[in-house]
Amino acid sequence: MSAPPAAAPLLGVVADDFTGATDIAAMLAARGMRAVQTIGVPEPGETIDADAIVVALKSRTIAAAAAVAASRAALAWLRGAGCRQFFFKYCSTFDSTDAGNIGPVAEALLADLGAGFALACPAFPANQRSVYAGHLFVGTKLLNESGMENHPLTPMQDADLVRVLGRQTTAPVGLVGFMTVRQGAGAIRAAMTRLAEQGRRFAIVDAAGDEDLLAIGEAAAGHALITGGSGVAMGLPENFRRAGLLPARADAAALPAIAGHAAVLAGSCSRATLLQLGHARSLFPVLEIDPLANPNEAALAEAALDWARPLLGARPVVIAASAPPERVARVQQALGRDEAGALIERTLARIAAGLVASGVRRLVVAGGETSGAVVSALGVRRLTIGHAIAPGVPWTLAQGSGPALKLALKSGNFGGPAFFPEAFETA
Ligand code: ADP
């Protein structure tokens, strides 16, 4: 086997959704790896200069066969790019059904890598997700009593992940229990070796604190594939440094300065975003879009851009469709629930393109679906991960078919009340 070129990436991550991808990329960047997130699988032969590459798929809730195909394509690209170790990133609440997609994807990746065993650990104690005796807790609640049992797409009605993953895979699933994990990396490694020798292809690994995640990461240094939430990626950068593969980087999350106008686009109606907009009103010009005024995306976008253009500068303008529940209900009643959401997403996406055409180069977007619509309207293909503004929300350098720009994509509920001004203080 020929050695990969010197600049080859070390870790290749297949992530089952967009914001989850950003989450793990930010975790790796904060711990010293230069991380790039790609939107979908890159083109064959495309090169990316990074220590970790995270391919963001939308495979969490699609049919299992389609999720497997997309994940295998991502893995093949990452292998071709020279990555040495691979990570399958899913949600820290193990979002899936008995039909998949975590088990089928993990089995397919394991088979493609010719590997016999992978650990599974969704724990993320900093976000209140812990695993004990194979059971997933959200705060003090078992997963199936946390509200996740009512999730519209992936209702989680069993907190016993050994059972859950067992139903999704073809072989019995093992467990590395908490007492073993607390004994450190050596004990965890020995337990995983034993389970693999017994024919287990996967094992749930307990974890309740960052020290557990660091020990699990160390124990998995030699594994071809690791599966889990972003928490268990915490220990991986140190493995590469220990092996002399990753230099100590003074600032892996440094991004170049980009000159240009600043703006916020908000399509999230979550409580956190509504609070953030309330806070921003006393600082920045804010336009509220009323979709019922003229439910046509071209007209709504043009009116918003006419308002924004004279105000553009270093001080951000804020354009928001966000509304409290009673107003959202009125809009949904008038337009239909899906069409209301889709119309607003298309409107905000058009506004994003118009703002960039008018010189905006630093843009914060609030809302997961909204972010997806904006990224695709802007033709963004990859995000180089910078410093976190709030946990899980880094500034990124976005590149694609348009001009390079700084983009911060905020999942609705993330960030404190002063998130918007804080973002621009560090952009
Ligand atoms: P979050 O991350 O908070 O879930 P998303 O962007 O994923 O935010 O979802 C918010 C959804 O609500 C989007 O589809 C958006 O278009 C829609 N939406 C935004 N404002 C309104 C409104 N005023 N009325 C109805 N729907 C809205």
Side-chain angles (χ1 to χ4, degrees):
M1 208 176 82
S2 65
L10 299 168
L11 184 68
V13 181
V14 179
D16 71 354
D17 91 333
F18 187 91
T19 45
T22 309
D23 197 9
I24 190 167
M27 166 71 79
L28 295 167
R31 291 186 173 255
M33 296 183 94
R34 293 174 305 132
V36 168
Q37 171 179 349
T38 68
I39 316 302
V41 181
E43 298 299 324
E46 197 175 328
T47 57
I48 295 178
D49 180 27
D51 303 317
I53 301 175
V54 181
V55 177
L57 301 176
K58 273 185 129 184
S59 55
R60 184 170 295 171
T61 57
I62 62 178
V68 165
S71 305
R72 293 184 67 203
L75 177 71
W77 189 91
L78 290 164
R79 292 179 88 181
C83 296
R84 293 165 179 257
Q85 189 174 43
F86 302 90
F87 194 110
F88 171 35
K89 158 72 176 69
Y90 40 79
C91 187
S92 61
T93 43
F94 214 77
D95 300 17
S96 54
T97 68
D98 286 351
N101 290 341
I102 294 175
V105 169
E107 282 195 318
L109 299 184
L110 208 53
D112 282 359
L113 290 166
F117 177 89
L119 69 86
C121 180
F124 199 173
N127 281 351
Q128 309 295 312
R129 270 60 148 177
S130 56
V131 182
Y132 184 80
H135 288 65
L136 179 52
F137 290 83
V138 179
T140 58
K141 300 280 187 207
L142 280 164
L143 179 64
N144 58 312
E145 297 169 9
S146 68
M148 277 303 293
E149 69 275 23
N150 299 319
H151 191 284
L153 301 174
T154 52
M156 299 303 293
Q157 281 155 359
D158 187 356
D160 182 341
L161 298 184
V162 174
R163 267 194 319 234
V164 174
L165 187 57
R167 287 193 291 265
Q168 297 179 14
T169 53
T170 52
V173 171
L175 171 68
V176 179
F178 194 63
M179 297 309 162
T180 304
V181 171
R182 276 290 147 114
Q183 288 167 40
I188 301 167
R189 196 178 303 116
M192 291 194 292
T193 305
R194 230 172 8 252
L195 288 166
E197 284 166 2
Q198 291 164 5
R200 300 286 195 265
R201 309 187 64 221
F202 297 100
I204 302 295
V205 184
D206 283 354
D210 285 355
E211 64 275 33
D212 304 324
L213 295 174
L214 291 169
I216 296 164
E218 187 182 341
H223 289 194
L225 176 70
I226 296 164
T227 84
S230 49
V232 76
M234 193 179 277
L236 304 183
E238 191 54 35
N239 290 342
F240 294 117
R241 278 190 290 268
R242 219 181 278 120
L245 295 167
L246 178 67
R249 300 199 185 280
D251 195 352
L255 295 180
I258 290 197
H261 306 325
V264 174
L265 278 177
S268 162
C269 301
S270 75
R271 204 176 301 163
T273 299
L274 294 174
L275 267 175
Q276 289 155 357
L277 288 167
H279 185 269
R281 267 185 201 96
S282 58
L283 302 170
F284 309 133
V286 176
L287 175 73
E288 282 179 33
I289 295 179
D290 176 6
L292 294 182
N294 182 358
N296 168 296
E297 74 237 40
L300 287 169
E302 219 26 69
L305 288 166
D306 286 345
W307 171 86
R309 282 191 194 101
L311 300 170
L312 290 176
R315 190 169 78 129
V317 297
V318 180
I319 300 175
S322 316
E326 59 282 3
R327 257 179 49 211
V328 171
R330 269 206 308 278
V331 174
Q332 289 180 338
Q333 224 164 29
L335 302 176
R337 184 199 175 94
D338 291 348
E339 177 49 24
L343 168 73
I344 292 167
E345 285 167 32
R346 292 194 303 266
T347 303
L348 292 174
R350 266 178 184 252
I351 295 173
L355 288 173
V356 170
S358 302
V360 167
R361 294 292 179 272
R362 290 172 300 144
L363 179 64
V364 173
V365 184
E369 294 299 324
T370 308
S371 292
V374 166
V375 159
S376 82
L378 296 180
V380 172
R381 296 286 302 146
R382 64 170 80 157
L383 301 169
T384 303
I385 306 295
H387 288 286
I389 304 160
V393 199
W395 271 114
T396 69
L397 175 69
Q399 291 162 290
S401 54
L405 65 148
K406 288 261 183 84
L407 208 51
L409 305 170
K410 190 186 83 73
S411 165
N413 267 318
F414 283 9
F419 179 86
F420 297 137
E422 282 165 7
F424 292 101
E425 274 159 27
T426 59

